Amino acid sequence: MENARRITDKFTTQDNIVTRVTRCGGKECTVLVQPDLSDAEAARAIVYSLVNYDGEISSLDDFSEKCVFEYDVTVSEDCDEATDDLLSGDIIVCLEGDERYAIVNARSYTTRGIVEPPTETVMRGPREGFIEDLKTNLSLLERRIKSPDFAIDRLTVGRKTKTGVAVCYISSVADKRVVKKLKKRLKKIDIDGIVDSNYLVPYIEERPYSLFSQTGISEKPDIVAAKLLEGRVAILIDGSPMVVTVPFVLIEEFQSGEDYYQRSTYGTFIRLLRYFGLMLATLLPGLYIALQNFHYTLIPVRFMITLVSAIKGLPLSPMAETLFVLVLFEIIREASVRMPRAVGMAMSIVGALVLGETAVNAGLISSPAVMITALSSIALFTVPNLIGPMSVLRLAYALVGGLFGLYGLIIAVMFSIHYVSALNGYGSPYLAPFAPLVFTDFKDAVERGVFPEMKKRPRSIPNTNETRQA
């Protein structure tokens, strides 16, 4: 049939699809199936229903009502739409005398099971994680937000991949301007393919070349649901377990889902520890170099004696030595991540223990430099999502501290704060609620406030309904 041929002619090879021609109700009928993505049982049931139907069929409307009424069937006149649905796993039925296409929802393909994501493990709280199937991910959110206000806007991005994208928000809470702006940017994307959510991030960020990410990323449905309830918008991409959320502020990096599943006092202590750990990780190497080069009189005498005896006879300057150890650590970390898990563990042990101890014994680097770098690196992992930008800043601060001392280091930190405070995405200042000051949001910034006190939604996030609870 001509309408079936219009679809098959689009394929370079005919091995991609299976075509079955039969007769139904005295008319020729063609069934098109993508065997790798369609349900085989559904395909057999449809063909069996067509062959054994002894009534009359005048159009595809009769086909959907009389032959395969147990399946979800839509009729379309668009050949391109039918082809896209066929490539997604639907079954296409063409009937003689009807130029339209019957699209039978029969998608079925293997997906990964719902398990706890490795990037956001918790001791307490839900252990479900998103997977690479969009339908499953949406069901995980819909099970948590049982409200007719929960809106899902579906888009398709990518000329070749035709990747499904779902924009999720709560219509009675989310700011309509944020939703409109986000959807407008997504519709403007003109690219061959999208294979992961991180492909979309540069298109929706205000400053895609910035060192800091301006979008949130999460693999856990409970975290995304909580962000939606605060007025944010979530972007789910078919084929990716990473869900992107906007607007985004920096303090979200210091918050963990587990903070809300334990006592507020301990959650506050852990958050303070994260803030201190990040400052220690970023500034400690630069401070160590600046004190050695320019401000050694500020070092306590006992520590100064130990330090002088440790660095005596070293061929490298304090700045060169510390930068060498920092770069060496980054190389070891990257190698341990890229290697297979078993080999990577051995690589990190060999690099951290054997190589470091050998370099100290050989007189290339000093023990204090190794200790400072190790302490800084361990503290960096208190905020895992900021490892990338803070590793770059740590190297920059170490270089500035070695060249200009404490004054240069202070100016560099002030410049970094000024740069970060200028970031603003979808109406949310990046350093809110600290810059600008939003006092009502402080109860969930550094302190983890108790739930009865958090009656209002964060004002740092644009929303249309500030009242969270009576």
PDB file of all heavy atoms in Angstrom, residues 23-27 49-58 62 66-67:
ATOM      1  N   ARG A  23      -4.911  -9.763   5.435  1.00  0.00           N
ATOM      2  CA  ARG A  23      -6.226  -9.245   5.036  1.00  0.00           C
ATOM      3  C   ARG A  23      -7.146  -9.237   6.259  1.00  0.00           C
ATOM      4  O   ARG A  23      -7.086 -10.129   7.115  1.00  0.00           O
ATOM      5  CB  ARG A  23      -6.841 -10.080   3.924  1.00  0.00           C
ATOM      6  CG  ARG A  23      -6.016 -10.082   2.632  1.00  0.00           C
ATOM      7  CD  ARG A  23      -6.808 -10.664   1.477  1.00  0.00           C
ATOM      8  NE  ARG A  23      -7.942  -9.843   1.090  1.00  0.00           N
ATOM      9  CZ  ARG A  23      -7.853  -8.764   0.298  1.00  0.00           C
ATOM     10  NH1 ARG A  23      -6.683  -8.381  -0.187  1.00  0.00           N
ATOM     11  NH2 ARG A  23      -8.939  -8.071  -0.006  1.00  0.00           N
ATOM     12  N   CYS A  24      -7.959  -8.201   6.304  1.00  0.00           N
ATOM     13  CA  CYS A  24      -8.882  -8.049   7.424  1.00  0.00           C
ATOM     14  C   CYS A  24     -10.174  -7.432   6.898  1.00  0.00           C
ATOM     15  O   CYS A  24     -10.137  -6.354   6.288  1.00  0.00           O
ATOM     16  CB  CYS A  24      -8.268  -7.179   8.517  1.00  0.00           C
ATOM     17  SG  CYS A  24      -9.352  -6.881   9.927  1.00  0.00           S
ATOM     18  N   GLY A  25     -11.284  -8.099   7.119  1.00  0.00           N
ATOM     19  CA  GLY A  25     -12.564  -7.588   6.668  1.00  0.00           C
ATOM     20  C   GLY A  25     -12.635  -7.398   5.166  1.00  0.00           C
ATOM     21  O   GLY A  25     -13.302  -6.485   4.685  1.00  0.00           O
ATOM     22  N   GLY A  26     -11.928  -8.239   4.426  1.00  0.00           N
ATOM     23  CA  GLY A  26     -11.936  -8.162   2.976  1.00  0.00           C
ATOM     24  C   GLY A  26     -11.011  -7.111   2.402  1.00  0.00           C
ATOM     25  O   GLY A  26     -10.995  -6.895   1.184  1.00  0.00           O
ATOM     26  N   LYS A  27     -10.190  -6.468   3.242  1.00  0.00           N
ATOM     27  CA  LYS A  27      -9.268  -5.445   2.764  1.00  0.00           C
ATOM     28  C   LYS A  27      -7.838  -5.803   3.149  1.00  0.00           C
ATOM     29  O   LYS A  27      -7.605  -6.479   4.163  1.00  0.00           O
ATOM     30  CB  LYS A  27      -9.630  -4.078   3.349  1.00  0.00           C
ATOM     31  CG  LYS A  27     -10.948  -3.513   2.849  1.00  0.00           C
ATOM     32  CD  LYS A  27     -11.148  -2.106   3.362  1.00  0.00           C
ATOM     33  CE  LYS A  27     -12.438  -1.496   2.814  1.00  0.00           C
ATOM     34  NZ  LYS A  27     -12.615  -0.103   3.280  1.00  0.00           N
ATOM     35  N   SER A  49      -5.666 -10.924  15.585  1.00  0.00           N
ATOM     36  CA  SER A  49      -6.993 -10.298  15.567  1.00  0.00           C
ATOM     37  C   SER A  49      -7.397  -9.901  14.158  1.00  0.00           C
ATOM     38  O   SER A  49      -8.568 -10.048  13.762  1.00  0.00           O
ATOM     39  CB  SER A  49      -7.002  -9.064  16.478  1.00  0.00           C
ATOM     40  OG  SER A  49      -6.705  -9.421  17.812  1.00  0.00           O
ATOM     41  N   LEU A  50      -6.437  -9.424  13.379  1.00  0.00           N
ATOM     42  CA  LEU A  50      -6.741  -9.022  12.012  1.00  0.00           C
ATOM     43  C   LEU A  50      -7.099 -10.224  11.145  1.00  0.00           C
ATOM     44  O   LEU A  50      -8.061 -10.187  10.366  1.00  0.00           O
ATOM     45  CB  LEU A  50      -5.539  -8.280  11.412  1.00  0.00           C
ATOM     46  CG  LEU A  50      -5.205  -6.917  12.033  1.00  0.00           C
ATOM     47  CD1 LEU A  50      -3.905  -6.382  11.445  1.00  0.00           C
ATOM     48  CD2 LEU A  50      -6.334  -5.931  11.797  1.00  0.00           C
ATOM     49  N   VAL A  51      -6.322 -11.296  11.285  1.00  0.00           N
ATOM     50  CA  VAL A  51      -6.543 -12.481  10.445  1.00  0.00           C
ATOM     51  C   VAL A  51      -7.878 -13.136  10.772  1.00  0.00           C
ATOM     52  O   VAL A  51      -8.593 -13.625   9.875  1.00  0.00           O
ATOM     53  CB  VAL A  51      -5.379 -13.480  10.625  1.00  0.00           C
ATOM     54  CG1 VAL A  51      -5.686 -14.795   9.910  1.00  0.00           C
ATOM     55  CG2 VAL A  51      -4.081 -12.873  10.104  1.00  0.00           C
ATOM     56  N   ASN A  52      -8.252 -13.154  12.035  1.00  0.00           N
ATOM     57  CA  ASN A  52      -9.444 -13.885  12.458  1.00  0.00           C
ATOM     58  C   ASN A  52     -10.700 -13.028  12.543  1.00  0.00           C
ATOM     59  O   ASN A  52     -11.760 -13.526  12.929  1.00  0.00           O
ATOM     60  CB  ASN A  52      -9.194 -14.538  13.825  1.00  0.00           C
ATOM     61  CG  ASN A  52      -8.181 -15.666  13.757  1.00  0.00           C
ATOM     62  OD1 ASN A  52      -8.500 -16.812  13.434  1.00  0.00           O
ATOM     63  ND2 ASN A  52      -6.922 -15.334  14.035  1.00  0.00           N
ATOM     64  N   TYR A  53     -10.591 -11.758  12.205  1.00  0.00           N
ATOM     65  CA  TYR A  53     -11.776 -10.908  12.236  1.00  0.00           C
ATOM     66  C   TYR A  53     -12.615 -11.175  10.983  1.00  0.00           C
ATOM     67  O   TYR A  53     -12.128 -11.070   9.856  1.00  0.00           O
ATOM     68  CB  TYR A  53     -11.376  -9.436  12.306  1.00  0.00           C
ATOM     69  CG  TYR A  53     -12.554  -8.502  12.401  1.00  0.00           C
ATOM     70  CD1 TYR A  53     -13.305  -8.418  13.566  1.00  0.00           C
ATOM     71  CD2 TYR A  53     -12.923  -7.718  11.308  1.00  0.00           C
ATOM     72  CE1 TYR A  53     -14.395  -7.564  13.663  1.00  0.00           C
ATOM     73  CE2 TYR A  53     -14.008  -6.859  11.391  1.00  0.00           C
ATOM     74  CZ  TYR A  53     -14.743  -6.795  12.572  1.00  0.00           C
ATOM     75  OH  TYR A  53     -15.825  -5.949  12.658  1.00  0.00           O
ATOM     76  N   ASP A  54     -13.883 -11.530  11.158  1.00  0.00           N
ATOM     77  CA  ASP A  54     -14.731 -11.901  10.027  1.00  0.00           C
ATOM     78  C   ASP A  54     -15.793 -10.856   9.708  1.00  0.00           C
ATOM     79  O   ASP A  54     -16.686 -11.088   8.889  1.00  0.00           O
ATOM     80  CB  ASP A  54     -15.422 -13.246  10.301  1.00  0.00           C
ATOM     81  CG  ASP A  54     -16.195 -13.249  11.616  1.00  0.00           C
ATOM     82  OD1 ASP A  54     -16.193 -12.180  12.300  1.00  0.00           O
ATOM     83  OD2 ASP A  54     -16.778 -14.284  11.959  1.00  0.00           O
ATOM     84  N   GLY A  55     -15.712  -9.699  10.361  1.00  0.00           N
ATOM     85  CA  GLY A  55     -16.674  -8.638  10.080  1.00  0.00           C
ATOM     86  C   GLY A  55     -16.171  -7.724   8.969  1.00  0.00           C
ATOM     87  O   GLY A  55     -15.218  -8.026   8.250  1.00  0.00           O
ATOM     88  N   GLU A  56     -16.834  -6.609   8.818  1.00  0.00           N
ATOM     89  CA  GLU A  56     -16.456  -5.635   7.812  1.00  0.00           C
ATOM     90  C   GLU A  56     -15.745  -4.453   8.472  1.00  0.00           C
ATOM     91  O   GLU A  56     -16.093  -4.047   9.574  1.00  0.00           O
ATOM     92  CB  GLU A  56     -17.698  -5.137   7.052  1.00  0.00           C
ATOM     93  CG  GLU A  56     -18.368  -6.201   6.210  1.00  0.00           C
ATOM     94  CD  GLU A  56     -19.523  -5.627   5.403  1.00  0.00           C
ATOM     95  OE1 GLU A  56     -19.769  -4.395   5.544  1.00  0.00           O
ATOM     96  OE2 GLU A  56     -20.157  -6.384   4.661  1.00  0.00           O
ATOM     97  N   ILE A  57     -14.760  -3.908   7.765  1.00  0.00           N
ATOM     98  CA  ILE A  57     -14.012  -2.735   8.225  1.00  0.00           C
ATOM     99  C   ILE A  57     -14.029  -1.696   7.120  1.00  0.00           C
ATOM    100  O   ILE A  57     -13.576  -1.968   5.996  1.00  0.00           O
ATOM    101  CB  ILE A  57     -12.564  -3.110   8.596  1.00  0.00           C
ATOM    102  CG1 ILE A  57     -12.536  -3.980   9.858  1.00  0.00           C
ATOM    103  CG2 ILE A  57     -11.739  -1.851   8.838  1.00  0.00           C
ATOM    104  CD1 ILE A  57     -11.153  -4.339  10.320  1.00  0.00           C
ATOM    105  N   SER A  58     -14.537  -0.536   7.432  1.00  0.00           N
ATOM    106  CA  SER A  58     -14.592   0.519   6.423  1.00  0.00           C
ATOM    107  C   SER A  58     -13.439   1.508   6.563  1.00  0.00           C
ATOM    108  O   SER A  58     -13.030   2.130   5.585  1.00  0.00           O
ATOM    109  CB  SER A  58     -15.916   1.269   6.539  1.00  0.00           C
ATOM    110  OG  SER A  58     -16.073   1.826   7.840  1.00  0.00           O
ATOM    111  N   ASP A  62     -12.907   1.787  12.629  1.00  0.00           N
ATOM    112  CA  ASP A  62     -13.497   0.483  12.943  1.00  0.00           C
ATOM    113  C   ASP A  62     -12.439  -0.474  13.460  1.00  0.00           C
ATOM    114  O   ASP A  62     -12.707  -1.294  14.343  1.00  0.00           O
ATOM    115  CB  ASP A  62     -14.164  -0.099  11.693  1.00  0.00           C
ATOM    116  CG  ASP A  62     -15.343   0.734  11.226  1.00  0.00           C
ATOM    117  OD1 ASP A  62     -15.927   1.431  12.073  1.00  0.00           O
ATOM    118  OD2 ASP A  62     -15.662   0.696  10.024  1.00  0.00           O
ATOM    119  N   LYS A  66     -13.067  -2.367  16.921  1.00  0.00           N
ATOM    120  CA  LYS A  66     -13.544  -3.746  16.825  1.00  0.00           C
ATOM    121  C   LYS A  66     -12.437  -4.795  16.927  1.00  0.00           C
ATOM    122  O   LYS A  66     -12.673  -5.876  17.462  1.00  0.00           O
ATOM    123  CB  LYS A  66     -14.286  -3.939  15.496  1.00  0.00           C
ATOM    124  CG  LYS A  66     -15.503  -3.035  15.338  1.00  0.00           C
ATOM    125  CD  LYS A  66     -16.149  -3.215  13.973  1.00  0.00           C
ATOM    126  CE  LYS A  66     -17.358  -2.305  13.813  1.00  0.00           C
ATOM    127  NZ  LYS A  66     -17.987  -2.436  12.470  1.00  0.00           N
ATOM    128  N   CYS A  67     -11.258  -4.490  16.433  1.00  0.00           N
ATOM    129  CA  CYS A  67     -10.210  -5.518  16.357  1.00  0.00           C
ATOM    130  C   CYS A  67      -9.260  -5.487  17.553  1.00  0.00           C
ATOM    131  O   CYS A  67      -8.948  -6.521  18.139  1.00  0.00           O
ATOM    132  CB  CYS A  67      -9.409  -5.358  15.061  1.00  0.00           C
ATOM    133  SG  CYS A  67     -10.398  -5.626  13.574  1.00  0.00           S
TER     134      CYS A  67
END
